[in-house]
Amino acid sequence: MSENVTSTPKKKSETWEWVQALAIAIALALAIRTFLFAPFIVEGESMEYTLHNTEKLVVNKAIYYMKDPQPGDIIVFHAEETRDYIKRVIAVAGDSVEIKDDKVYVNDKVVEEPFLAQKRKESEEAGYPRYLEDYPKTTIPEGHIFVMGDNRQNSRDSRAIGPVPVEKVVGRSEFVFWPLKDIRMID
């Protein structure tokens, strides 16, 4: 009988340890998702060929606690009440942006965009020699960034919605984790 008496407290102790471990795991998962990293699903083709529709990626939420978004970063931001967008940062506060003669200029210098080569080629082959519509010279206000999708002809970005407040940025896209055959770092 003493065996049963001693085993009961042991079972309660073991159960309590499991409950504590589970509670800690849940708290850590919530903290990580809230403050450090979050999954994101690409919706649409605005970032083709860098990112593809339905790909799943990890967004680093902590990076912008330490520094501001930089040109070239691929970010996720709150674009609408219930929808986030993913775009590439083209310019930051104080920069001037202009699109003319099928080129993007930041501070009057052409931005080199080798990731657009395939889309430009397809545009030319389809009979559209110009890939980009002109956009008037605009200075990005303090606390804002100018973003564009890599699929410039099929992207709702700062050309339509204006500069994005930095406070609406969720984080920087780091790597694609789904589908498995396409796992890669994002650059």
Side-chain angles (χ1 to χ4, degrees):
M1 184 155 185
S2 63
E3 272 183 42
N4 291 339
V5 172
T6 57
S7 66
T8 303
K10 185 176 179 183
K11 284 183 183 180
K12 283 182 182 178
S13 176
E14 190 174 316
T15 302
W16 177 241
E17 286 179 21
W18 276 103
V19 168
Q20 286 178 320
L22 186 59
I24 290 170
I26 290 170
L28 281 173
L30 288 173
I32 288 169
R33 180 169 164 109
T34 302
F35 300 109
L36 301 177
F37 300 99
F40 181 80
I41 300 173
V42 177
E43 293 179 11
E45 299 172 349
S46 73
M47 286 299 293
E48 294 279 347
Y49 289 109
T50 305
L51 299 170
H52 305 283
N53 189 36
T54 71
E55 283 186 325
K56 294 178 182 168
L57 49 96
V58 171
V59 173
N60 180 342
K61 297 170 93 174
I63 189 78
Y64 297 133
Y65 293 133
M66 298 175 273
K67 67 178 193 163
D68 289 332
Q70 300 297 307
D73 288 356
I74 297 176
I75 64 161
V76 172
F77 65 96
H78 301 304
E80 300 171 6
E81 189 73 27
T82 59
R83 188 163 183 197
D84 292 342
Y85 285 4
I86 185 165
K87 306 292 178 197
R88 186 181 297 271
V89 176
I90 301 299
V92 296
D95 288 343
S96 66
V97 176
E98 180 179 24
I99 301 172
K100 66 180 181 181
D101 302 325
D102 210 31
K103 292 180 177 68
V104 176
Y105 293 84
V106 173
N107 300 327
D108 300 317
K109 295 179 182 156
V110 174
V111 177
E112 297 299 324
E113 301 179 302
F115 49 87
L116 296 180
Q118 183 63 32
K119 282 291 183 186
R120 285 184 183 278
K121 181 180 174 188
E122 289 173 7
S123 180
E124 288 175 18
E125 289 171 354
Y128 301 103
R130 292 191 60 187
Y131 183 66
L132 296 170
E133 295 295 320
D134 287 350
Y135 182 84
K137 191 173 198 175
T138 304
T139 299
I140 310 308
E142 196 62 39
H144 289 72
I145 54 177
F146 191 91
V147 298
M148 293 174 72
D150 288 357
N151 186 356
R152 304 284 162 83
Q153 294 175 325
N154 186 18
S155 178
R156 183 166 166 74
D157 51 38
S158 288
R159 295 171 293 170
I161 64 174
V164 174
V166 172
E167 65 195 30
K168 291 192 173 198
V169 175
V170 174
R172 182 176 71 190
S173 303
E174 296 292 342
F175 64 91
V176 173
F177 68 89
W178 192 264
L180 291 176
K181 67 180 179 56
D182 295 323
I183 290 176
R184 66 188 182 283
M185 296 301 292
I186 298 171
D187 50 317

